[in-house]
Amino acid sequence: MYATYVIWNKHMVKFLRNREELLGLALQSVLWVVLFGVGMRGLISEIEGRDYMSYILPGILALSVLGGAVGGGMVMLDERLRGILKEYLAAPIPRLSILLGSATSTATKALFQAVLMLLVGILMGARLALNPAGWLVSLLLLGLFAVGFSGIALAVAAVSRSIAGYHGMIFLFNLPLLFASNALYPLAVLPGWMQAIVLLNPTTYLIDAIRTLAFGTTATLPLALSIAVVTLFAILGTWLALSMFQRTIRG
Amino acid sequence: MTTFAIEAHGLVKRYGDLTAVAGIDLAVPRGSIYAMLGPNGAGKTTTINMLTTLIVPTAGSASVAGHDVVRAANQVRTRIGVTFQDIVVDQDLTGREVLDIHGRLYRQPAAVRQRRISELVELVQLTDAIERRVRTYSGGMKRRLELARGLMTDPEILFLDEPTQGLDPQNRVGIWNYIRDLNQTRDLTLLLTTHYMDEAEALAARVGIVDKGRLVVEDAPATLVSNLGADVIRIRGHGERDQFVAHLNNIPFVLRVDLDTLGEFVLVYVDSGSRRLAEIVASAGANHFQIDDVTVARPSLGDVFLHHTGNALRD
């Protein structure tokens, strides 16, 4: 799939050239960790036996993946609305490679931001558990989550008629995925009805797994279940993107 | 190998209840320039999209460069170049990157890409701008870059969807010259769409007039024009127009009579304008139609269009 590489490469060139997008993504990370993390740390010194920064960092990582995915979906939306997609469609390349090019560039951006966020978090006092294998699995899970959410972003990008419409739709996903999860507060303190919602959210499983694997918190959900849910999310996201994309290019 | 670069039989494209293309037949010989002329919404772009494999026809079949556009879409894709109706080019890349990425999508080796880029950049006169971001280009420069991109893979057939739309006169003539040049020196087959009469007349060996998703008439531009008659007398006036037209239709040397869309002009096609003018003017007076203005001219492709579609061609 050489065409996938060409498209990925082109998106990366555009991404690195776009200083506003780069700076925006980097600042977003810093702001979350510094403003929210540090602020809340004054209020809550310890949670489930960990400092608050270490506690919320996995959630912020998940959020940054969302941010990166939204940016990646924008690239495909932009290419679709401008008609650049037609250049790909007229070329002798597999249709799937067009979607995969966007999906890989989106996931790359999402992971890039997650890593950036992790570094800032550590600088601000989050403490990783000494568990390199766990870090690796966490990164892999973040990657899967990025694929899943990129899928959603690309699916929306494949059908949106405008940039504003895209952001509106994405916002609908973005906020609940963060707040209706265990990102900022432990599952145990939530009322029963909200727990039910939170348990439907794949973000919850990602965060719980990363907390366990990379930050040494005791798992509140079975680790195997968390990994299964995140993997399933990645598959569903990809399937969604694929079916929406096929719908748009069928013409 | 067939002698036709593009062949289509009964091409139809429907979107739900809307029929964009209602059955078009085409046969474009190798090495020729063919222009599809028609107003916006006539179905020209939809036809091009089917021929360039962007969309699948609802019915009918087409082959381009000897390959079926549905069954052998990839074969078609490797042999054609396309420029789209809107300017479609990445703003954040340099001109060179746009061409290079295009070549990579078609798996051209690096050496070939480099050679093609330097040839084409010279052809479309972008040598000084090629390292600059496309963002800084004017509309004409972007169009020229797109033309170069369409030629990057050395296609057998080039599709140009409204190649000069929105360009200033200088750039239009520039693009025309490239098109003619390419056709003559490289034996390239070109299919272009346009809603500019002069463009079709200036470039194409054959013109197909498209209206409401159908190919209304097709021929060499000169033949289309001469079929209407030697001259057209355009009359603007007021009074008993219908009576006047009825009378004209009974005169033997009047080949046909048309009204323009607004009913402002009566167009009388005759064998010789200068010889018949006096008689026509006299018959207007006899039929209570007062003439405000009268001109004699050779029919234009615009008159052909009006004659076949009943509509004047507007942008």
Side-chain angles (χ1 to χ4, degrees):
Chain A
M1 296 287 259
Y2 183 67
T4 301
Y5 167 71
V6 174
I7 294 172
W8 174 82
N9 186 239
K10 171 180 158 180
H11 288 170
M12 286 300 124
V13 167
K14 278 162 75 173
F15 175 60
L16 295 175
R17 200 164 279 178
N18 191 340
R19 287 198 204 101
E20 286 161 34
E21 191 182 350
L22 266 179
L23 194 74
L25 276 182
L27 271 182
Q28 228 180 341
S29 316
V30 176
L31 287 179
W32 262 100
V33 175
V34 173
L35 295 181
F36 193 80
V38 174
M40 287 299 278
R41 188 163 57 184
L43 199 65
I44 309 159
S45 59
E46 191 175 280
I47 189 163
E48 289 184 344
R50 302 289 304 171
D51 60 292
Y52 192 68
M53 186 59 81
S54 304
Y55 186 78
I56 63 158
L57 197 56
I60 295 179
L61 289 179
L63 185 78
S64 64
V65 167
L66 300 194
V70 171
M74 263 303 294
V75 172
M76 191 173 103
L77 179 66
D78 183 60
E79 292 196 337
R80 213 190 99 227
L81 294 178
R82 280 180 199 276
I84 291 168
L85 190 63
K86 287 192 280 188
E87 184 195 346
Y88 303 149
L89 290 175
I93 57 174
R95 315 287 87 173
L96 186 61
S97 70
I98 304 169
L99 180 69
L100 286 181
S102 296
T104 47
S105 71
T106 302
T108 308
K109 286 180 202 178
L111 270 183
F112 162 81
Q113 203 184 354
V115 169
L116 197 70
M117 195 82 96
L118 184 64
L119 294 178
V120 177
I122 291 169
L123 282 178
M124 295 308 293
R127 282 189 298 274
L128 285 169
L130 214 67
N131 178 10
W135 300 347
L136 217 66
V137 178
S138 298
L139 211 60
L140 190 74
L141 286 174
L142 267 177
L144 282 172
F145 188 72
V147 169
F149 202 78
S150 300
I152 293 179
L154 291 171
V156 176
V159 292
S160 291
R161 291 202 186 85
S162 68
I163 288 169
Y166 170 78
H167 279 296
M169 293 261 278
I170 288 294
F171 191 70
L172 271 180
F173 283 106
N174 211 333
L175 216 58
L177 278 178
L178 178 69
F179 287 104
S181 80
N182 56 350
L184 306 174
Y185 19 74
L187 208 52
V189 305
L190 299 173
W193 63 270
M194 192 153 163
Q195 275 193 25
I197 296 174
V198 167
L199 284 174
L200 287 175
N201 184 349
T203 320
T204 302
Y205 299 87
L206 172 81
I207 291 170
D208 201 67
I210 294 182
R211 267 186 200 142
T212 312
L213 291 166
F215 293 91
T217 314
T218 326
T220 49
L221 298 159
L223 188 60
L225 175 71
S226 298
I227 292 173
V229 168
V230 173
T231 309
L232 189 70
F233 177 65
I235 294 169
L236 278 179
T238 309
W239 173 79
L240 189 69
L242 198 62
S243 54
M244 289 297 147
F245 180 71
Q246 275 168 343
R247 227 174 70 180
T248 31
I249 63 168
R250 209 162 38 212
Chain B
M1 279 301 230
T2 56
T3 49
F4 293 113
I6 304 166
E7 263 188 289
H9 302 285
L11 271 190
V12 173
K13 184 67 188 179
R14 278 188 216 101
Y15 294 100
D17 292 337
L18 181 89
T19 303
V21 174
I24 281 187
D25 297 293
L26 281 176
V28 179
R30 277 177 196 282
S32 69
I33 304 182
Y34 186 98
M36 289 173 77
L37 177 68
N40 293 332
K44 304 184 303 278
T45 297
T46 309
T47 305
I48 280 218
N49 284 348
M50 286 190 277
L51 294 175
T52 55
T53 76
L54 292 189
I55 57 176
V56 175
T58 312
S61 67
S63 74
V64 171
H67 294 277
D68 188 275
V69 293
V70 178
R71 287 195 305 274
N74 261 345
Q75 297 292 330
V76 173
R77 289 174 190 141
T78 54
R79 289 170 173 78
I80 62 171
V82 190
T83 73
F84 305 100
Q85 186 171 353
D86 321 294
I87 287 178
V88 169
V89 56
D90 259 300
Q91 305 277 338
D92 291 324
L93 301 175
T94 66
R96 179 181 295 281
E97 286 167 334
V98 167
L99 297 179
D100 193 61
I101 288 171
H102 189 76
R104 284 168 68 196
L105 282 177
Y106 288 72
R107 289 181 164 256
Q108 283 182 310
V112 175
R113 295 201 304 266
Q114 212 166 5
R115 198 192 67 230
R116 287 294 289 164
I117 290 173
S118 42
E119 282 171 16
L120 289 168
V121 161
E122 202 168 319
L123 174 78
V124 298
Q125 294 168 292
L126 283 175
T127 313
D128 297 335
I130 198 64
E131 309 297 346
R132 270 177 20 213
R133 304 261 174 100
V134 174
R135 191 176 292 289
T136 65
Y137 286 22
S138 70
M141 291 163 80
K142 284 180 193 163
R143 259 298 186 224
R144 272 143 53 200
L145 179 67
E146 284 194 314
L147 194 62
R149 185 178 64 189
L151 292 167
M152 184 69 192
T153 52
D154 204 7
E156 291 170 36
I157 303 162
L158 186 61
F159 290 87
L160 303 170
D161 198 357
E162 315 229 344
T164 64
Q165 194 184 22
L167 294 188
D168 59 42
Q170 228 173 343
N171 267 304
R172 285 186 75 201
V173 174
I175 298 265
W176 289 1
N177 287 336
Y178 300 138
I179 292 175
R180 269 192 291 246
D181 217 47
L182 288 164
N183 174 246
Q184 275 155 22
T185 60
R186 304 179 192 211
D187 206 32
L188 186 71
T189 309
L190 288 117
L191 185 140
L192 58 102
T193 71
T194 182
H195 53 235
Y196 298 118
M197 224 77 65
D198 54 345
E199 188 158 293
E201 220 158 3
L203 292 174
R206 283 178 86 76
V207 174
I209 292 182
V210 183
D211 191 40
K212 301 192 178 94
R214 286 183 190 285
L215 194 64
V216 183
V217 65
E218 182 203 284
D219 219 319
T223 316
L224 286 173
V225 169
S226 64
N227 280 351
L228 282 187
D231 286 313
V232 57
I233 301 174
R234 281 195 185 81
I235 303 167
R236 189 163 57 85
H238 56 276
E240 300 294 325
R241 195 187 64 195
D242 295 344
Q243 189 188 328
F244 175 48
V245 170
H247 175 78
L248 288 173
N249 274 322
N250 289 324
I251 302 177
F253 61 76
V254 171
L255 301 169
R256 51 173 63 93
V257 183
D258 282 334
L259 292 174
D260 78 332
T261 330
L262 297 174
E264 205 184 339
F265 284 94
V266 179
L267 309 181
V268 190
Y269 297 95
V270 294
D271 50 359
S272 166
S274 49
R275 199 142 49 87
R276 307 297 189 185
L277 182 61
E279 200 170 331
I280 298 284
V281 170
S283 76
N287 288 286
H288 312 291
F289 187 75
Q290 282 78 47
I291 293 178
D292 299 326
D293 185 37
V294 62
T295 55
V296 179
R298 304 271 307 151
S300 66
L301 212 48
D303 296 319
V304 175
F305 191 85
L306 170 65
H307 173 71
H308 287 285
T309 68
N311 284 301
L313 186 52
R314 294 196 177 78
D315 287 345

